[in-house]
Amino acid sequence: TDWEDVTITADGKVFVGNFGNNGHNRKDLVIYVLPDYKTWTSDTVQAEVIEFNYGDQSAYPPIANNRVFDCEALAFYNDSLYLFSKNWSSPFTGMTKMYVLAAKPGSYTIYPTDSVNLGSIKEIAWVTGADITDSALYLLGSAFVWKFNHKGQINLSNPVQIALNHFSQKEAIAINANALYITDESAGGFGNLYRYSVAATMAAQPLQTKKPYVIVQGTNSCILENQSGQNLDLRLYDLTGRQVGGQLSSTARHIDIQNNFTSSIISGGVYWLHIQCNGSSMSWEKVLIGK
């Protein structure tokens, strides 16, 4: 119906998550359990089934501010399956919930075991993929990967953020020898497989809870208030993730986004603004640009 993620065990067993739930009204959420892929001898295999429902969901669909029961991220670790919610709440809360269930056929009612707030912009804070190694959990977003170190007990405490310096509809992640392998959908002309090196993976930073700037959004203006006069490198992207225009570097206290990028803007509308502060910490903002 809506297959979202795949995870494979060390002995080759394959789990396929058929639990996409954008409308929040599905009651047929399942994970298919396939035997060791090395034993497949034809293009058809018999699957066992894990059925589940969210114990904390009581309405189908729930009210707008409680639409937090979609899932696109599945990972296997230590005989358990870990699911991570994709938050559609309005107004957006930023919370991602973690659910855990046994990695064996059956019918389960699952409840969240932990949660974390990954940001205030849904397209940035949406979780769309996951993988778990013996030392860390990785959650995938459109512009970041969030890493949670662990010592055998998976939790969502103390995340660090790996900036991908790229925005697209990313869908899947796998970790191999500490390098990240990521795919995105073809929307916007992408549809690629990306490899982020060990060095890029290790360059993680704590989540930004206080930003050194403020976006002042008007109907026909967009001003970035650079409160401390830091050096900011700015790039503008359309909603598909395609960069428009060049790069602006400035220490000015008031930066008029509209005027600085106006020659590159084809039409007015919503854009992504990529902000790098003093050559290190990075963030994304959704801005309205007039024309």
Side-chain angles (χ1 to χ4, degrees), residues 233-237 243-249 260-261 263-264 273-274:
D233 292 322
L234 307 177
R235 298 181 184 181
L236 196 68
Y237 297 78
Q243 186 174 353
V244 293
Q247 180 175 341
L248 169 67
S249 294
N260 278 286
F261 288 100
S263 61
S264 305
L273 181 64
H274 181 259

Side-chain angles (χ1 to χ4, degrees), residues 214-227:
V214 172
I215 300 290
V216 181
Q217 182 69 68
T219 304
N220 295 305
S221 65
C222 181
I223 306 296
L224 189 153
E225 299 287 356
N226 183 14
Q227 299 164 322

Side-chain angles (χ1 to χ4, degrees), residues 84-118:
F84 302 90
S85 64
K86 181 181 179 182
N87 189 331
W88 291 82
S89 61
S90 181
F92 184 67
T93 64
M95 298 301 295
T96 289
K97 298 185 289 183
M98 179 174 76
Y99 297 84
V100 186
L101 70 162
K104 59 184 180 181
S107 182
Y108 304 92
T109 296
I110 60 176
Y111 293 86
T113 61
D114 206 350
S115 63
V116 63
N117 191 321
L118 295 176

